[in-house]
Amino acid sequence: MTAPDARRSAPDSSAAPPARSGPGASTTARAAAARREAASGPPAGLSRERLLELYYFMRLTRSLEERLVNLYRQGKVIGGLFRSLGQEADSVGSACALDRQAGDFLSPLIRNLGSLLVMGARPADVLRQYMAKATSPTRGRELNVHFGDLERGFLGQISHLGDMVPVMAGITLTFRLRGERRVGLVYVGDGAMSTGAFHEGMNLAASRRLPLVVVAENNGYAYSTRLERQTAVARLADKAKAYGVPAERTDGNDVLAVYEATRRAVERARSGEGVTLLELVTYRRKGHAEHDNQSYVPKDELARWERDDPIDRYVAVLGERGWATADERAAADARVARELDAAVADAENEPLPEGATALEAVYAAPAAQPAAWYREAPRA
Ligand SMILES: Cc1ncc(C[n+]2csc(CCOP(=O)(O)OP(=O)(O)O)c2C)c(N)n1
Ligand SMILES: [Mg+2]
């Protein structure tokens, strides 16, 4: 077993970031990193504008979540608040590898705000959703991230862990049956990979060679449960063998590595070669949600991963390679601040739904059957 794997699977709470392009990365990922190093050019398909866009979306994701934390502390966020601090490269790098023009489609989880933004979700809508405003995509009927936008290419998730894998198997089967060359991408957490639904979905998608990319986000925890306490498999990519599909294991805090690995998987899917399981090794730097104080997380582990921050790492790469100037980055930061100032001002001032509308667009109207779960008001 390689050193980083040994650290990640040790029962002594000493999970550490994987060595960059080191033994924890797959052979293909290492070769790609070496090629990039040698050529000193950006990965295939990435212009300077696109490289800067990756930075913009990671910054937007982090800043939007910071605005949400402020609103949460003011009591303006109605439900739970889920952070993706430290996982921005995972969401942004993978979603950017899809081809939106071709109609590629993704299924996000609670920690994929970055993916939603890449697909075109508007920050104001995310804020409205968290504040349960009447103007939110679900018109105040849901309190955070369970909303979809079929035109922009993302599905409204359901909370049941693992269930989006069979759902996306079904959606990509539809692409196949209609003769469309579209690709689906589904995210699944390390915890969700231990569900029956994950297994059934993987098996279906693999046996039918569906055009699906399965992104396993190994962030070390499921709620307060460490990885090694809920699965005996140290490298989640190894689970691919059970389904007969190829896998790649990549440093999830390196946005370019994530982008490249996802692109390879998307190309395989589009050319009819079927499913790829992509393990992104990253870390959940906050608790499960804002209400969780992470008391079960060793402080030194957290400190080590803070030093592996995906945005800091990308800023260093952009500077060293001369791919973006400090001025260009500052302009992207200013754009993020400007857009979020406007989005927060809009969303905060909008109304909550009227109580009398609570049942609208929830049940069929007129009801097919009388509702058995609430009593009609007594008639006068
Ligand atoms: C089938 C099922 N069991 C339990 C839960 C409760 N639950 C919600 S999120 C979560 C942890 C998820 O961990 P992981 O899949 O690793 O994703 P992460 O939160 O780390 O991104 C649990 C146990 C659920 N939603 N569905
Ligand atoms: Mg997890």
Side-chain angles (χ1 to χ4, degrees), residues 87 111 188-192 217-223 225 227 230 284:
Q87 293 184 225
R111 269 172 251 292
V188 62
D190 45 275
E217 301 181 298
N218 180 356
N219 63 4
Y221 287 90
Y223 267 175
T225 307
L227 182 70
Q230 57 91 7
R284 196 192 72 193

Side-chain angles (χ1 to χ4, degrees), residues 3 43 94 134 220 258 314:
S94 53
V258 172
Y314 191 48

Side-chain angles (χ1 to χ4, degrees), residues 300-311:
D300 59 331
E301 177 182 298
L302 208 50
R304 279 203 299 281
W305 282 92
E306 274 166 11
R307 290 195 294 276
D308 199 51
D309 183 81
I311 300 185

Side-chain angles (χ1 to χ4, degrees), residues 130-200:
Y130 267 103
M131 290 192 275
K133 297 292 187 166
T135 48
S136 70
T138 58
R139 283 174 275 164
R141 279 155 184 75
E142 198 277 333
L143 310 176
N144 41 53
V145 286
H146 303 80
F147 72 103
D149 189 328
L150 302 190
E151 271 177 39
R152 288 191 166 94
F154 60 90
L155 204 58
Q157 62 181 293
I158 54 166
S159 283
H160 308 72
L161 295 179
D163 277 20
M164 298 317 286
V165 180
V167 168
M168 284 300 287
I171 286 176
T172 49
L173 177 59
T174 310
F175 295 163
R176 158 85 52 78
L177 293 173
R178 288 181 181 161
E180 297 170 346
R181 294 194 74 228
R182 299 165 71 182
V183 172
L185 183 153
V186 60
Y187 294 98
V188 62
D190 45 275
M193 286 177 86
S194 297
T195 62
F198 169 79
H199 166 72
E200 291 173 24

